[in-house]
Amino acid sequence: MASAAANAGIPAAKVEKYDEEYDVVIIGSGFAGMACALKAGRAGKKVLMLEKMPVVGGNSAICGGNVACPVNPVQKAQGIKDSRELFIADCLKDGLGLNHVELLSKIVDRCNDTIKFVEDCGAEFVPNHMLFEGGHSVPRSYEIKAGTGSGYIHPMYDQIKKLSNVTVKTRAKFDDFIMDGDAVVGVTYREGYRFNAKLQSDDLENKTGKTKTVRAKLGVMLAAGGFSRDIWFRQIQDPRVVPTTDSTNQLGATAGVLVKSLGIGAAPVQLCWLQFLPYTNPREKGFGVSVNFTNHACMDFGIVVDRKTGKRFMDEHAGRKIKSDALFNVIGKDENYPIAIASEEIVKAINPSFVKLAIEMGTVKKFNTLEELADHFKINKAPFLEQVERFNGFVAKQEDPEFHRILKFQNGLNLAKGPYYGIEVAPKIHHTMGGVLISPKGEVIHMRTHKPIPGLYAGGEVTGVEPRFFIENEFQHEGLTRLIVTEDMSERKKKMIELGDAFIAFPGGTGTLEEIAEVLSKVSLKHLSAPCILYNLDGYYNDLKALLH
């Protein structure tokens, strides 16, 4: 009991005075944190974003940056047939059926809005192009021009810096939640904190920085990322992951925020699901510079072979877990790293940013002939050359009888002509797939009550419904996650009633009274079941309250 109490946050009653007060506090500065800060900031909220590392972006800044978006305009223009059902089926197959389908549906519903949002911020995608990523049945991924997630982080951060009501603090480490009963009402953090990678557990041992208390009037948003660099926490989830196992993640990817969230009752979800990235190079530390080359040149269009047999051993376009398991099986205990191979015509067909650094750093090797490549990597030459010839035949027929890889989007790219490129491959820990349970609205769910923890979110959105003439007269609200445009006020009211779970009338004019009156009427007639609230600021609704009573 004492241990549980020690992790249950700080009682608000013990906070004599808050050092700072904000509407929204965001923990983390990656994609989710940046999006939340922009949305809340544009809605006029006072926002604090805390980042424990010296720079913003987290893993988002160094990831590959490509994003799947089913049923998008580029697909439509190129005649690529996709659907909600196909996307969800692909996810369930790759996720072994452990996915939360209601959250997958949210991705389908909102992905095109997300693409527009980041483009409006200044992110640039390769125009009129869809990547055919591993695990997907059709090309549906936008390719960021920058070649990394920095292509989103930099423009989003530039937009945030224009908002005077948004404060971003780096070297600011979240420590604990401030609780009023089950509700999160604030946080404590340390200003001037210095992450120390030499410590066994930075979360436990590092005491740098000065403690600050912050009141969060509207809520706290969790956007702290995973725990792939937390040696102790990741190994208790999966004992096969030893301390020396490398990770693609930035050094600050630890479990501190997650542990504190569990301590106040957040329901855990699939914490032991650790995903390996099958595109990494064993000669580089961390994510390295070769991932996109191996992924989009060698596995999208080329092949991967076992150097002992000279043969393929997997569908190079399968999902990450399938490929990682196959790679580990070949690597074994003698570090028999498989070789990923591409040709010159393949390399010329992909984003140049995927190629430049990998060649310059020497992790990708270039050869005039397949024989030279085989000699360098000590590949069993005769069966290797036969394998390449068979693969080229598979591409011509668009059929892979060996591993049933989808080849209809190969665009004829094969390994018939040199020069050739090769690189060693060994998986590294990439995503820690688990976390805390959330609702489709981004509310963190309590494991005891099975209801949202008041004031705590891991994502979230605001939907607006406005008639077309509002937009035409420039009355559009800019702080919305989603905007539904109706033809007139009657349709707007109908849509608001359809979407609403509860109805709040702020002080307003005849339009507000007309709208809340219809809702009250529907409730009284039992045509609608929902709470109705009049926000009686300074007694604004006193007369109406008297009339209703």
Side-chain angles (χ1 to χ4, degrees), residues 261-283:
S261 301
L262 299 176
I264 63 168
V269 178
Q270 299 171 6
L271 296 182
C272 63
W273 184 292
L274 308 186
Q275 183 198 80
F276 284 81
L277 189 68
Y279 314 121
T280 44
N281 179 267
R283 311 301 174 187

Side-chain angles (χ1 to χ4, degrees), residues 530-545:
C532 298
I533 301 167
L534 299 175
Y535 184 41
N536 195 25
L537 180 65
D538 295 329
Y540 186 89
Y541 284 119
N542 279 350
D543 290 342
L544 179 58
K545 181 181 177 182

Side-chain angles (χ1 to χ4, degrees), residues 342-359:
S343 64
E344 182 76 9
E345 71 168 351
I346 290 173
V347 169
K348 287 183 177 179
I350 67 172
N351 190 329
S353 69
F354 297 166
V355 182
K356 186 174 184 293
L357 272 177
I359 295 291

Side-chain angles (χ1 to χ4, degrees), residues 31 60-66 144-152 287 292 353-354:
F31 295 145
S60 297
I62 63 173
C63 74
N66 304 316
I144 194 74
K145 267 190 179 181
T148 71
S150 63
Y152 307 92
F287 193 81
N292 276 326
S353 69
F354 297 166

Side-chain angles (χ1 to χ4, degrees), residues 55-357:
V55 294
V56 298
N59 289 319
S60 297
I62 63 173
C63 74
N66 304 316
V67 56
C69 180
V71 197
N72 66 65
V74 179
Q75 286 181 313
K76 185 176 181 181
Q78 296 181 1
I80 299 170
K81 294 183 179 179
D82 200 2
S83 67
R84 167 191 296 269
E85 293 75 20
L86 183 59
F87 172 75
I88 291 176
D90 286 347
C91 291
L92 288 169
K93 180 180 178 181
D94 214 36
L96 305 183
L98 297 176
N99 321 63
H100 288 233
V101 176
E102 72 278 9
L103 299 181
L104 293 176
S105 295
K106 182 64 70 173
I107 292 174
V108 180
D109 292 339
R110 304 308 312 282
C111 64
N112 283 292
D113 294 337
T114 300
I115 296 298
K116 184 178 186 306
F117 171 72
V118 295
E119 285 183 324
D120 289 346
C121 287
E124 294 184 77
F125 296 103
V126 176
N128 305 314
H129 178 61
M130 285 281 104
L131 284 172
F132 184 32
E133 297 269 33
H136 295 271
S137 297
V138 296
R140 61 163 69 101
S141 294
Y142 283 85
E143 180 181 331
I144 194 74
K145 267 190 179 181
T148 71
S150 63
Y152 307 92
I153 292 297
H154 289 318
M156 291 173 76
Y157 192 34
D158 287 342
Q159 294 297 316
I160 286 173
K161 286 186 283 189
K162 296 176 183 179
L163 300 173
S164 61
N165 53 321
V166 178
T167 300
V168 180
K169 293 190 177 185
T170 56
R171 298 192 191 276
K173 186 182 189 301
F174 162 84
D175 274 335
D176 212 342
F177 297 102
I178 299 172
M179 306 295 296
D180 184 1
D182 282 341
V184 174
V185 295
V187 302
T188 63
Y189 75 94
R190 275 176 283 150
E191 197 170 54
Y193 153 88
R194 296 290 187 272
F195 178 80
N196 188 346
K198 295 180 180 179
L199 297 176
Q200 182 69 23
S201 173
D202 181 84
D203 287 327
L204 289 178
E205 301 171 52
N206 191 334
K207 306 299 181 184
T208 60
K210 182 180 178 182
T211 299
K212 299 276 189 176
T213 57
V214 185
R215 184 185 175 207
K217 293 163 62 178
L218 297 180
V220 173
M221 158 74 168
L222 303 180
F227 53 87
S228 288
R229 289 284 185 179
D230 196 310
I231 302 300
W232 181 83
F233 196 84
R234 71 185 193 181
Q235 191 169 6
I236 65 169
Q237 309 306 325
D238 187 342
R240 298 170 296 179
V241 180
V242 297
T244 55
T245 304
D246 201 0
S247 169
T248 62
N249 286 199
Q250 54 96 10
L251 295 175
T254 61
V257 177
L258 173 60
V259 169
K260 288 295 183 180
S261 301
L262 299 176
I264 63 168
V269 178
Q270 299 171 6
L271 296 182
C272 63
W273 184 292
L274 308 186
Q275 183 198 80
F276 284 81
L277 189 68
Y279 314 121
T280 44
N281 179 267
R283 311 301 174 187
E284 297 179 297
K285 289 186 177 180
F287 193 81
V289 299
S290 310
V291 165
N292 276 326
F293 181 91
T294 303
N295 183 6
H296 298 299
C298 304
M299 294 207 192
D300 279 358
F301 298 110
I303 62 173
V304 182
V305 300
D306 178 346
R307 65 175 91 197
K308 289 182 179 179
T309 66
K311 298 179 180 180
R312 296 169 66 213
F313 53 90
M314 65 178 184
D315 171 5
E316 294 89 347
H317 203 266
R320 290 176 178 177
K321 185 179 189 319
I322 293 170
K323 288 189 288 200
S324 292
D325 289 347
L327 288 164
F328 280 130
N329 187 51
V330 169
I331 292 168
K333 295 182 179 180
D334 59 349
E335 297 186 348
N336 176 41
Y337 298 123
I339 307 302
I341 301 156
S343 64
E344 182 76 9
E345 71 168 351
I346 290 173
V347 169
K348 287 183 177 179
I350 67 172
N351 190 329
S353 69
F354 297 166
V355 182
K356 186 174 184 293
L357 272 177

Side-chain angles (χ1 to χ4, degrees), residues 386-406:
E386 292 174 4
Q387 173 69 87
V388 172
E389 187 174 350
R390 284 200 307 278
F391 175 74
N392 291 336
F394 299 161
V395 173
K397 295 180 179 179
Q398 295 189 2
E399 185 177 355
D400 175 13
E402 291 181 343
F403 296 99
H404 308 290
R405 173 169 150 187
I406 300 172

Side-chain angles (χ1 to χ4, degrees), residues 371-447:
E371 288 83 359
E372 289 179 12
L373 186 150
D375 288 341
H376 177 84
F377 288 113
K378 296 181 172 55
I379 301 172
N380 193 337
K381 191 182 298 184
F384 168 61
L385 296 176
E386 292 174 4
Q387 173 69 87
V388 172
E389 187 174 350
R390 284 200 307 278
F391 175 74
N392 291 336
F394 299 161
V395 173
K397 295 180 179 179
Q398 295 189 2
E399 185 177 355
D400 175 13
E402 291 181 343
F403 296 99
H404 308 290
R405 173 169 150 187
I406 300 172
L407 294 172
K408 65 180 179 180
F409 300 109
Q410 190 84 7
N411 300 322
L413 296 173
N414 60 26
L415 301 173
K417 295 180 181 179
Y420 298 96
Y421 299 79
I423 181 172
E424 293 179 307
V425 187
K428 298 177 184 179
I429 293 180
H430 189 50
H431 289 315
T432 49
M433 306 297 282
V436 296
L437 181 64
I438 61 170
S439 73
K441 295 181 179 180
E443 304 154 311
V444 176
I445 304 301
H446 200 293
M447 70 176 82

